[in-house]
Amino acid sequence: MGNSWACFAPKEMSFTGEPTKRFPNSSRKTRTSSSPRKNKGKLDEDAFIQQQAIAAALLFRHHQQNDSLSLNRSTSLVFPSSPGPKKLPKSSSSRQRSRSDSLIQPHQLVIDKDPNVDALETNHFVLVHGGGFGAWCWYKIMTLLEEGGYRVDAVDLTGAGIHSFDTNSIASLAQYVKPLTDFLEKLGDGEKVILAGHDFGGACISYAMELFPSKISKAIFIAAAMLSSGQSTLDMFSQQADSNDLMRQAQIFLYANGKDQAPTAIDLDKTLVKDLLFNQSPAKDITLALVSMRPIPLAPVMEKLSLSDEDYGSVRRFYIVTQEDSAIPVSLQESMIQINPPEQVFWLKGSDHAPFFSRPQSLHKILVEIAQIPSKQV
């Protein structure tokens, strides 16, 4: 998982076509005719360019009609994730394309605002990253939600993302989660949000649910630590200590106070992180993660939560299982669900531990579906 969870304490610790070459002019005669294959390829290319030009014109007209010319779009909107690159379809017809033919429509390139978004109990998402990650990891999900008309905030927890605090100096879960609790504390009277936590972010939103139950409409655990009262994240993830060799190999313990003292944080071996966290993610997102991830503070991972039925238990919980997850195997996710059952469970097929990279559109669809679940009648 994002922080690789510190599930395994150190042994000494007791806690658990080449471009066509152009030749200069010469006196030799050159052949003016080209092969049928080359002519066909040129026709295909011309047809594709024409199609894209018309689609762009339609998209431009769509924005003019809606008084918006902002074309800043995530590539995930136009190019959904797939097992491999798709080839352009080739028509078997030899006739010329007419104006009545079906082309790429603007609605295929732009996500329309959800017509029901303003009628929801809340349309405000607050996204909480996992250990080692930062607010940056949500960039695709933020784009998708915002274009659907939702309000979205992603926080950097202490020592994560662009937060400048030294990870090795974080001494408690309260200190680590403070940017989130500060945000919730500043919400207006009667204002509610939907909290979504990934990885270690699950423990963080649980902590916030105990403090601010009246400000949280729903809590969504995305391949996350969904703990019971009296458990620490370390307790839960130690259950897989004997079955996840890759996680154990990837962990690098940091000793800011000296080797004779307890470790202060955990880092990940960059040569193993792709297989552990991003086995289904695009290369560009893996590169982003490798240059952006930071060590995970160990003290918050070891801290046991105190959760009550009156506060934490009053918030509606939902869990999203990532089915190709090498960091938190499905068996461990199912174990958390059985011990601490949420209201509803969603299964995200084809997703590694980072669904915001590997399956952004599917994750977005589930988040919207959860947001639209009606409030329970009291």
Side-chain angles (χ1 to χ4, degrees), residues 51 58 95 97-105 108:
Q51 177 180 344
L58 289 172
R95 71 173 177 84
R97 189 180 297 277
S98 70
R99 291 187 178 182
S100 62
D101 288 342
S102 176
L103 293 173
I104 299 175
Q105 299 300 318
Q108 293 177 278

Side-chain angles (χ1 to χ4, degrees), residues 132-133 136-137 139-140 270-271 273-275 277-294 352 354 356-358:
F133 290 91
W136 51 267
C137 73
Y139 78 96
K140 292 181 180 180
K270 297 300 188 288
T271 64
V273 75
K274 177 180 178 180
D275 292 333
L277 306 178
F278 309 120
N279 50 297
Q280 302 293 323
S281 294
K284 63 180 181 180
D285 292 322
I286 298 174
T287 300
L288 171 64
L290 290 178
V291 299
S292 304
M293 292 184 71
R294 296 175 62 180
D352 55 23
F356 35 75
F357 290 158
S358 60

Side-chain angles (χ1 to χ4, degrees), residues 113-121 123 148 150 372:
K113 179 177 178 180
D114 184 343
N116 301 317
V117 69
D118 294 327
L120 300 175
E121 179 184 14
N123 62 7
Y150 292 88
Q372 294 178 348

Side-chain angles (χ1 to χ4, degrees), residues 50-69:
Q50 181 185 20
Q51 177 180 344
Q52 294 304 306
I54 294 173
L58 289 172
L59 178 58
F60 183 81
R61 183 181 299 172
H62 173 83
H63 282 290
Q64 282 185 319
Q65 292 172 351
N66 288 275
D67 194 26
S68 172
L69 292 177

